[in-house]
Amino acid sequence: MFPTPIAKTSRTWQLTYQGLLPFALIMWLLPLIAVALFSIKPAVDFTQANYWGLPSAFAGFENYGKVFLESQMPRYLLNSLLITIPTVIGAVALSAMTGFALGIYRFRGNLLIFFMFVAGNFVPFQILMVPVRDLTLDLGLYNTKTGLVLFHVAFQTGFCTLFMRNFIRALPYELIEAARVEGVAEWRIFWYVVLPLMKPAIAALAVLIFTFIWNDYFWAVVLTQGAESQPVTAGITSFNAQYRAAYHLMSAGSIVAALPPVAMFFLMQKHFIAGLTLGAVK
């Protein structure tokens, strides 16, 4: 039912695995390595068809300087931060409370409410595109960062509730009962008993949602337009149009746009792995 651990397989398979793993890693990282290499090449390398060779000169400072000083990339990055951070805070905060309610309280309709939260994640984005866009137009939220934040919070809360509810249900219920016997109010149980135990799950969920929202392109294009409100995923299209044949600048802009979620993962790596594996072993 479950795959056999590599350490328990034959010596031949272990050697095969060790030989194929670096090859697979290189193939996986090859596009990123190519873009990073392009981003430090001078423009003359592309006019001379030096696409895959080493740079004739290091032009990294010049290329990245143009990205930050001669384009709208800083504005797009700021927009992404102003959209992603409130979304992460809102979705995680709401899902922590809904997960607590659905995970701790046993009442009729609990499972139905939980299914309603989860059901939204099974609806294809393309079906929601027109009604969501019309709704933002009617509410005056179209082409605003606020509208994009509110939509992302509403849509991500379903997945976050699924994550939080299952995590909370795995906690020892005796802690809740002991607190109630002592006469502790329900909101204090949530704040002082359950929430501290949820820190690994909150960290893991924050990394996931940050990555989802930062990399979102579909809704960024549907609900925003222009540098005033577009996040970096939609803004990179305008950036590429500005530097259509400047592959070194396009590559530098792409690297800049991809760095924040990577940095977020490595900064929170310890908590992310702990949150995903907590409860996996006894």
Side-chain angles (χ1 to χ4, degrees):
M1 182 176 180
F2 297 101
T4 304
I6 296 298
K8 296 183 179 180
T9 58
S10 65
R11 182 60 179 170
T12 302
W13 176 244
Q14 291 182 25
L15 292 175
T16 304
Y17 175 82
Q18 293 171 3
L20 292 176
L21 184 61
F23 175 76
L25 181 62
I26 292 173
M27 293 298 295
W28 176 262
L29 294 177
L30 190 59
L32 181 61
I33 294 173
V35 173
L37 184 64
F38 283 12
S39 70
I40 61 174
K41 286 186 174 184
V44 67
D45 280 10
F46 297 95
T47 60
Q48 296 178 355
N50 181 21
Y51 298 114
W52 305 107
L54 294 176
S56 60
F58 180 79
F61 295 115
E62 178 184 356
N63 295 342
Y64 284 94
K66 288 183 178 180
V67 168
F68 281 102
L69 301 177
E70 300 180 14
S71 72
Q72 295 284 355
M73 184 60 66
R75 172 72 69 88
Y76 295 133
L77 290 171
L78 179 61
N79 290 343
S80 285
L81 288 174
L82 294 177
I83 292 170
T84 304
I85 293 176
T87 299
V88 171
I89 295 173
V92 171
L94 285 175
S95 64
M97 292 184 285
T98 55
F100 175 78
L102 295 173
I104 296 299
Y105 301 119
R106 273 68 169 177
F107 57 91
R108 182 176 297 178
N110 180 302
L111 197 59
L112 177 61
I113 296 175
F114 174 63
F115 284 158
M116 290 176 64
F117 272 99
V118 177
N121 294 284
F122 296 97
V123 180
F125 288 163
Q126 293 79 1
I127 295 177
L128 297 174
M129 179 176 65
V130 174
V132 168
R133 182 180 181 275
D134 291 344
L135 179 63
T136 56
L137 285 170
D138 293 339
L139 296 176
L141 295 174
Y142 179 73
N143 196 31
T144 64
K145 293 185 283 290
T146 302
L148 200 54
V149 168
L150 292 175
F151 171 77
H152 280 313
V153 169
F155 198 83
Q156 295 297 329
T157 298
F159 167 75
C160 295
T161 298
L162 169 67
F163 190 97
M164 287 295 191
R165 182 252 191 190
N166 292 340
F167 184 89
I168 291 173
R169 285 180 68 89
L171 298 176
Y173 192 73
E174 292 77 8
L175 293 174
I176 310 298
E177 293 178 329
R180 287 172 176 169
V181 169
E182 295 294 331
V184 180
E186 293 297 317
W187 72 269
R188 288 182 176 271
I189 293 176
F190 169 72
W191 189 262
Y192 293 107
V193 178
V194 176
L195 198 60
L197 298 176
M198 293 168 58
K199 288 181 179 179
I202 291 173
L205 195 58
V207 174
L208 287 174
I209 299 304
F210 186 96
T211 304
F212 292 163
I213 303 305
W214 186 277
N215 292 332
D216 172 69
Y217 177 75
F218 183 83
W219 292 112
V221 172
V222 171
L223 299 181
T224 61
Q225 59 182 2
E228 296 78 13
S229 56
Q230 278 191 330
V232 70
T233 47
I236 199 71
T237 304
S238 301
F239 178 84
N240 290 343
Q242 180 181 355
Y243 299 104
R244 184 175 300 274
Y247 299 108
H248 55 307
L249 299 180
M250 292 165 55
S251 299
S254 300
I255 291 294
V256 169
L259 282 179
V262 175
M264 176 72 172
F265 173 78
F266 281 107
L267 288 174
M268 302 290 289
Q269 182 179 11
K270 178 180 178 181
H271 303 286
F272 177 75
I273 296 175
L276 293 183
T277 57
L278 192 62
V281 294
K282 295 291 185 181

